[in-house]
Amino acid sequence: MSQHFTPHDYQKGAIRHLYEKRRAALWMPMGGGKTVSTLTALVDLDLVEDVFPVLVLAPLRVAQTTWPQEVTKWQHLEHLRVSVITGSAKAREAALKAPADVYTMNYDNLQWLLAELGGAWPFKTVIADEFTRLKSFRLRQGSKRARALGSVAHTKINRFIGLTGTPSPNGLSDLWGQTWFLDQGLRLGRTFSAFSDRWFRTGYDGYSLQPMLYAQEEIEGKLRDICLTVNALPVDEPIANQLRVELPDGAKRQYESMEREMFASLGHGEEIEALNAAAKTMKCLQLANGAAYVDEAHNWVEVHREKLDALESVIEEAAGAPVLVAYHFKSDLARLQKAFPKGRVLDKNPKTIADWNAGKIQLLFAHPASAGHGLNLAEGGNILVFFSLNWNLEEHMQIIERIGPLRQKQAGINRPVFVHYILAGDTVDDLILERLRSKRSVQEILLEAMKR
């Protein structure tokens, strides 16, 4: 649905910053509005100068879904044409040639892009989403993709914008590579060696870098004119954020076949028991999550990893901050534990909760039914991710409340709560989220969806 753009005050500051700087970094938490703020600034700037076409570099999932979807959400951005440069070489070539205002591409294809363009460079603006992906840049070393972008950063790109929620996840040393794309070493030193010699000393292990006592204050002072940190405003409600993934072709075909069978079954009679109707959707929900049970012994097979990849992006952007992950099926938990072996499971052992609240657990997996009334997890973190959903409204509300704003205040902590929903597009995930938000009956929502 189209929306009139009504940014929060803190977003207005971000937009103004992007107006003023041809090369700038915007540090804003996930769900804080980086995408819409940046596009709004560029649309306004286009009235007085040429800023399009724009190349957006991002992780694969973000390039494929987040940027294209954001344009459709806002009335003032609906006119922008978006071309997604991902997939096979043939698909990328076609997307690159398609007429568009915004081209989105994953970082891994940077070398291919430069080779494909030859000496030409059509993009007037480059946006580096998840800016920390360029932290490894060095003039003579570093990652190949960062060096590829570095070859055109200060010769062919008029405007460069870096976006991230975590500018220095591993310490101040991460800042040099990113900042080079903004000022070619003017503020932090022409080379990484000059940067490290000025503000760091070698650690006791002989190779790590330890910042000097004065390093943070001086580095922040150097970057103050080109970097803006935007903190989310304290709110009394959790900040909800939808992370949508697209099912691969094979999984999509399986899902659509199962969906047809579900609707056919539901269509035998207009009166359907809600509990039975919910059960009919379980296979579809399993396929949306990425694994489906194949027999009564609860053996399962994996059909895709899209949600796991999306969760990895959330964890990466959290930069070490604890993340609570809600799952539904046992197959979900098994896959989560395999993909993230350092994660812990919320069990009945009191030590698990104590470790979480003491900051000893960075990733905690919890079934909403196990995080019921009275449990307080607020001291341990303020980020909740729904890897999968279920129809139970009470369980959904209860697990949010475990780290919710009220619990945060009770713990004496003044920070916003972020709730991320990882949703498979055009699946039963959308129906369940509608149920959880509207509190309408399962039966009503299913019957309406079947008619559509």
Side-chain angles (χ1 to χ4, degrees):
M1 180 180 294
S2 299
Q3 303 175 51
H4 291 285
F5 184 58
T6 54
H8 296 295
D9 289 340
Y10 69 89
Q11 287 179 315
K12 291 179 181 177
I15 293 170
R16 190 182 310 113
H17 181 74
L18 295 176
Y19 288 160
E20 297 169 351
K21 304 294 180 181
R22 284 194 170 272
R23 294 177 180 269
L26 182 62
W27 300 342
M28 185 183 291
M30 178 179 285
K34 294 189 292 290
T35 306
V36 66
S37 297
T38 303
L39 290 175
T40 299
L42 292 178
V43 166
D44 286 356
L45 277 168
D46 194 50
L47 297 173
V48 294
E49 65 175 81
D50 290 333
V51 297
F52 295 105
V54 172
L55 175 65
V56 176
L57 299 171
L60 179 60
R61 178 191 59 78
V62 177
Q64 287 177 323
T65 60
T66 302
W67 284 83
Q69 289 171 359
E70 197 71 19
V71 167
T72 65
K73 291 179 183 179
W74 303 96
Q75 195 173 68
H76 70 295
L77 302 178
E78 286 180 334
H79 67 285
L80 293 178
R81 299 166 297 171
V82 181
S83 182
V84 180
I85 309 175
T86 61
S88 66
K90 186 176 181 180
R92 295 197 301 270
E93 290 171 8
L96 183 58
K97 293 176 181 177
D101 304 296
V102 179
Y103 295 81
T104 65
M105 188 185 76
N106 55 314
Y107 284 97
D108 295 332
N109 284 323
L110 266 169
Q111 290 172 277
W112 168 87
L113 179 67
L114 288 172
E116 188 71 16
L117 292 174
W121 184 263
F123 308 109
K124 292 183 172 61
T125 303
V126 170
I127 300 170
D129 199 355
E130 301 286 354
F131 198 17
T132 51
R133 297 293 176 100
L134 299 176
K135 67 183 181 182
S136 62
F137 174 78
R138 302 292 184 269
L139 291 180
R140 293 184 177 84
Q141 297 176 346
S143 71
K144 292 181 179 179
R145 64 189 183 190
R147 290 178 64 189
L149 184 61
S151 67
V152 296
H154 296 284
T155 56
K156 297 183 177 182
I157 299 173
N158 296 336
R159 184 178 292 274
F160 194 103
I161 300 169
L163 307 174
T164 182
T166 54
S168 53
N170 298 309
L172 293 172
S173 61
D174 284 346
L175 293 174
W176 184 85
Q178 300 169 73
T179 305
W180 185 90
F181 287 92
L182 303 180
D183 69 355
Q184 206 170 3
L186 177 64
R187 290 166 178 78
L188 298 186
R190 172 65 179 163
T191 65
F192 182 78
S193 295
F195 168 68
S196 59
D197 288 346
R198 179 170 181 178
W199 284 295
F200 297 84
R201 58 179 174 78
T202 304
Y204 294 112
D205 55 14
Y207 63 88
S208 65
L209 294 176
Q210 301 296 325
M212 299 291 192
L213 293 176
Y214 52 83
Q216 181 157 345
E217 183 178 354
E218 289 191 3
I219 291 173
E220 287 178 354
K222 293 283 185 180
L223 301 182
R224 184 168 288 119
D225 65 321
I226 59 170
C227 297
L228 179 67
T229 300
V230 180
N231 295 316
L233 296 174
V235 292
D236 292 329
E237 294 293 333
I239 299 172
N241 181 38
Q242 295 183 25
L243 304 174
R244 293 189 169 271
V245 302
E246 297 298 325
L247 299 185
D249 290 341
K252 186 67 173 176
R253 286 192 295 270
Q254 287 178 286
Y255 178 86
E256 289 173 346
S257 175
M258 182 61 64
E259 186 178 56
R260 284 193 296 271
E261 291 184 24
M262 177 189 75
F263 283 147
S265 176
L266 295 179
H268 286 315
E270 293 187 4
E271 294 301 324
I272 304 172
E273 291 293 334
L275 186 61
N276 181 55
K280 294 288 186 181
T281 67
M282 287 305 173
K283 284 293 184 185
C284 287
L285 185 55
Q286 292 164 19
L287 289 169
N289 291 346
Y293 290 112
V294 295
D295 56 34
E296 294 183 0
H298 284 185
N299 292 308
W300 53 270
V301 294
E302 187 172 66
V303 293
H304 69 82
R305 292 179 52 85
E306 302 304 308
K307 287 196 174 186
L308 292 172
D309 293 341
L311 177 58
E312 184 177 14
S313 295
V314 176
I315 294 171
E316 183 176 294
E317 185 157 345
V323 176
L324 177 64
V325 179
Y327 68 91
H328 182 54
F329 298 104
K330 290 183 179 179
S331 56
D332 294 338
L333 177 59
R335 295 168 62 233
L336 287 167
Q337 289 179 303
K338 182 178 180 180
F340 308 99
K342 293 184 179 180
R344 294 264 296 273
V345 180
L346 180 62
D347 51 26
K348 295 181 180 180
N349 188 343
K351 189 176 185 303
T352 303
I353 297 175
D355 286 349
W356 165 263
N357 282 329
K360 298 179 180 179
I361 300 176
Q362 290 191 343
L363 186 60
L364 184 65
F365 307 127
H367 192 287
S370 68
H373 298 269
L375 198 62
N376 193 342
L377 303 174
E379 292 182 41
N382 62 323
I383 302 172
L384 170 62
V385 181
F386 281 96
F387 179 82
S388 52
L389 298 170
N390 69 60
W391 295 99
N392 193 308
L393 176 61
E394 182 181 6
E395 289 182 357
H396 176 261
M397 295 173 64
Q398 283 298 320
I399 195 167
I400 293 177
E401 180 57 26
R402 297 314 101 208
I403 66 166
L406 179 59
R407 294 285 181 178
Q408 298 288 330
K409 291 178 180 178
Q410 289 174 340
I413 305 171
N414 184 24
R415 61 187 178 188
V417 174
F418 295 93
V419 179
H420 303 296
Y421 295 93
I422 302 179
L423 307 171
D426 298 321
T427 69
V428 70
D429 280 354
D430 291 320
L431 303 181
I432 296 177
L433 187 59
E434 182 182 350
R435 146 73 174 163
L436 298 174
R437 287 183 164 183
S438 67
K439 302 182 182 180
R440 295 165 63 198
S441 72
V442 175
Q443 175 177 311
E444 183 181 1
I445 289 173
L446 284 173
L447 286 175
E448 184 178 292
M450 184 176 66
K451 291 175 182 178
R452 289 199 300 265

